[in-house]
Amino acid sequence: MDCIFCKIARGEIPAKKVWEDENVVAFHDLEPHAPVHLLVIPRRHVVNVGGAEATDVELLGQVVLGCRQAAEAAGVAESGFRVVFNTNQDAGQTVPHLHAHVLGGRALTWPPG
Ligand code: 5GP
Ligand code: ZN
């Protein structure tokens, strides 16, 4: 499958990784919107939260715990961080491989745009 995040997970495209294990990879976003802007992806291809099934519960938990690991690795676990799963066009999802944005390193505004 010609999926950019599958290729990053397999190491076929370079990325600035901050943390990984056998199920999840966390790396810096190419176009950061905060001092810390990481992407946390499962190695297995799932399109987004809307495409997740009951059989993906373990994978979803691994991604969320991966967000904590990534936030710790980037030094924002204490100061705070936001986790965002953009899903489909109204949310602005551009890469159809499930990913969590981990944003931090500054005071984030609420609500998001
Ligand atoms: P989305 O808009 O789908 O929620 O988020 C996709 C994110 O992936 C965007 O923030 C974009 O900057 C990032 N991105 C797209 N292609 C690449 C890439 O090849 N490498 C990295 N590190 N980030 C990417
Ligand atoms: Zn993929």
Side-chain angles (χ1 to χ4, degrees), residues 40-97:
V40 180
I41 64 169
R43 291 187 187 276
R44 178 159 68 80
H45 185 91
V46 172
V47 69
N48 56 32
V49 170
E53 308 280 355
T55 49
D56 298 319
V57 162
E58 196 174 1
L59 173 148
L60 295 169
Q62 289 162 346
V63 169
V64 173
L65 285 176
C67 292
R68 173 174 65 76
Q69 297 281 7
E72 287 178 1
V76 296
E78 291 287 319
S79 52
F81 59 94
R82 182 172 294 163
V83 176
V84 176
F85 292 88
N86 290 329
T87 302
N88 291 340
Q89 56 269 35
D90 275 2
Q93 183 179 9
T94 57
V95 179
H97 178 127

Side-chain angles (χ1 to χ4, degrees), residues 6-62:
C6 281
K7 288 181 177 171
I8 286 176
R10 291 195 296 259
E12 295 168 10
I13 291 178
K16 284 173 61 184
K17 292 179 186 172
V18 296
W19 184 84
E20 64 185 313
D21 69 4
E22 65 271 33
N23 301 304
V24 173
V25 183
F27 53 96
H28 288 274
D29 196 294
L30 263 188
E31 296 180 38
H33 291 291
V36 172
H37 186 172
L38 309 172
L39 299 170
V40 180
I41 64 169
R43 291 187 187 276
R44 178 159 68 80
H45 185 91
V46 172
V47 69
N48 56 32
V49 170
E53 308 280 355
T55 49
D56 298 319
V57 162
E58 196 174 1
L59 173 148
L60 295 169
Q62 289 162 346

